Amino acid sequence: MKKTKRRLGIYLLLLILITAAAVVLRTLACFNDFNPTTGYFDDKLIITVADWLTVGGVVLFLSYPIASGRVALRASFSSPMFYLPSGLVSVALLFLSAELLSKVWGLLSESARLQDSLLTAELLIPLAVALLALCSIVYFLLGALIEGRCDTRRAAFGILAVLFLAVYAAYLYFDTKLPINAPTKVVDMMAYIFASAFFLFEVRISLGRDRWGAYLAFGMAAALLSGYSALPSLIVYLVRGTLITNSLAEAALTMTLFIFITARVLHATRLRDDEKNPAAAAAELLSAARLADMSAEVAEELDDDDESCDKEPDNYTMNFEDTESKD
């Protein structure tokens, strides 16, 4: 298992280096080449290098299960590396939900003013995303309050968090603020899709059906994509006041997801191996051997009893001729 954790350390080092390089390149491209009016980059050299570096990093991290082999760790939710990021994500989800509910209320007011029918796609998708965001907050709160390794309540709300991230990616796709194939929109959508896949493996941990190789692979890929999406967007907004994402609340949520996923992946290096104690394993083997011996002894006794029952009795024969002669 030491070799497996050593390989994980190498992958985490590559995660830090690739994320830093990709973020720097994308930030430079956003400052120098991004056109806020069209939503595209005028000069595509730097952003192309950044995008292909990110794609290569995602492919590399998804190969982790093949390179690491079988990984078995004992999950833990009782760590500050879970509490603090969970609080940050919960606050960001609250702000995003409030923003979407405000948008829904504005659509309802406009529809009533114009005496028009409800705009189904423009109304229902933001409403569903807002409600799922509120339900997702419960998952992060339960993760901070329930320290048990397996818990069905945490798993149930975790599934809602997965749905929220997937539906929010669909919401970004149908949003009309930017063109469908705008580079910034594509990056944001991919970040949320991979984050939803990561949280799906988080749910498997709560159900006791963990897959650590895939969990860490999608965790590193989601961390790279969420950092690649959030950090340049926030830097550009803080420096120039220009928003290149759908909203500031979305950029904050993506940033907190980056912090949460990175913390969970780093925390995996501190987890114990999910293996039995050698003494306990030896005791189980001895107990199993003793039970097998007892079963064999019982089976032999039953066979002896069956053989004794099959024999014909010798002491109960009667000679009727002798009794007649005596009479």
Side-chain angles (χ1 to χ4, degrees):
M1 202 66 191
K2 291 182 179 179
K3 183 183 294 185
T4 302
K5 288 194 174 182
R6 192 180 304 115
R7 290 174 181 171
L8 177 59
I10 295 173
Y11 270 81
L12 291 177
L13 178 61
L14 292 174
L15 171 63
I16 295 171
L17 295 176
I18 294 174
T19 303
V23 166
V24 169
L25 290 174
R26 185 168 187 251
T27 303
L28 291 175
C30 289
F31 276 120
N32 299 325
D33 306 322
F34 183 71
N35 189 337
T37 304
T38 62
Y40 294 94
F41 291 88
D42 295 331
D43 188 352
K44 298 182 180 180
L45 177 60
I46 299 178
I47 193 61
T48 301
V49 174
D51 288 342
W52 278 108
L53 179 62
T54 304
V55 171
V58 170
V59 173
L60 173 66
F61 298 139
L62 291 180
S63 69
Y64 175 74
I66 302 174
S68 65
R70 183 179 179 274
V71 182
L73 302 173
R74 182 172 293 275
S76 173
F77 291 87
S78 58
S79 170
M81 297 184 75
F82 189 89
Y83 301 150
L84 298 178
S86 295
L88 294 175
V89 176
S90 299
V91 173
L93 285 169
L94 189 61
F95 278 105
L96 181 66
S97 178
E99 180 183 83
L100 292 172
L101 289 175
S102 176
K103 180 179 180 179
V104 170
W105 179 256
L107 289 173
L108 287 173
S109 301
E110 183 179 357
S111 178
R113 181 175 60 83
L114 298 176
Q115 296 181 353
D116 199 0
S117 60
L118 294 180
L119 307 175
T120 54
E122 294 183 5
L123 178 68
L124 293 180
I125 295 179
L127 181 60
V129 173
L131 295 178
L132 288 172
L134 292 175
C135 294
S136 301
I137 295 174
V138 181
Y139 166 73
F140 291 100
L141 294 178
L142 289 178
L145 296 174
I146 301 175
E147 298 181 356
R149 183 179 180 183
C150 299
D151 189 87
T152 54
R153 294 168 296 176
R154 187 175 62 217
F157 282 98
I159 293 174
L160 294 178
V162 173
L163 287 175
F164 158 72
L165 294 167
V167 174
Y168 190 75
Y171 167 75
L172 290 177
Y173 178 81
F174 289 108
D175 188 76
T176 57
K177 284 185 179 180
L178 291 172
I180 291 179
N181 61 344
T184 54
K185 176 184 283 191
V186 173
V187 170
D188 294 344
M189 286 191 299
M190 295 305 297
Y192 279 91
I193 290 172
F194 273 83
S196 66
F198 168 76
F199 278 98
L200 188 63
F201 288 100
E202 276 271 333
V203 172
R204 291 183 66 98
I205 293 176
S206 296
L207 293 174
R209 303 179 64 85
D210 44 19
R211 292 291 184 271
W212 283 101
Y215 172 86
L216 293 171
F218 279 94
M220 289 184 285
L224 171 60
L225 287 169
S226 56
Y228 185 66
S229 169
L231 287 170
S233 301
L234 291 174
I235 292 172
V236 171
Y237 178 78
L238 292 174
V239 174
R240 289 187 174 177
T242 304
L243 194 62
I244 64 174
T245 58
N246 185 272
S247 66
L248 182 59
E250 178 206 309
L253 175 60
T254 311
M255 184 65 195
T256 57
L257 287 173
F258 167 69
I259 296 172
F260 180 90
I261 296 172
T262 304
R264 291 294 286 167
V265 173
L266 291 175
H267 183 59
T269 60
R270 304 175 58 184
L271 297 178
R272 294 181 299 168
D273 299 342
D274 191 15
E275 297 177 352
K276 296 180 180 178
N277 186 282
E284 287 186 3
L285 290 175
L286 291 174
S287 177
R290 179 56 183 160
L291 288 175
D293 293 339
M294 292 175 63
S295 300
E297 292 175 0
V298 171
E300 290 179 359
E301 292 179 359
L302 292 175
D303 291 339
D304 293 340
D305 292 341
D306 293 339
E307 290 177 0
S308 62
C309 292
D310 292 338
K311 292 181 180 179
E312 295 183 357
D314 296 332
N315 299 328
Y316 296 97
T317 58
M318 183 176 290
N319 192 337
F320 291 99
E321 294 179 358
D322 294 341
T323 54
E324 291 177 357
S325 62
K326 289 180 181 180
D327 293 340

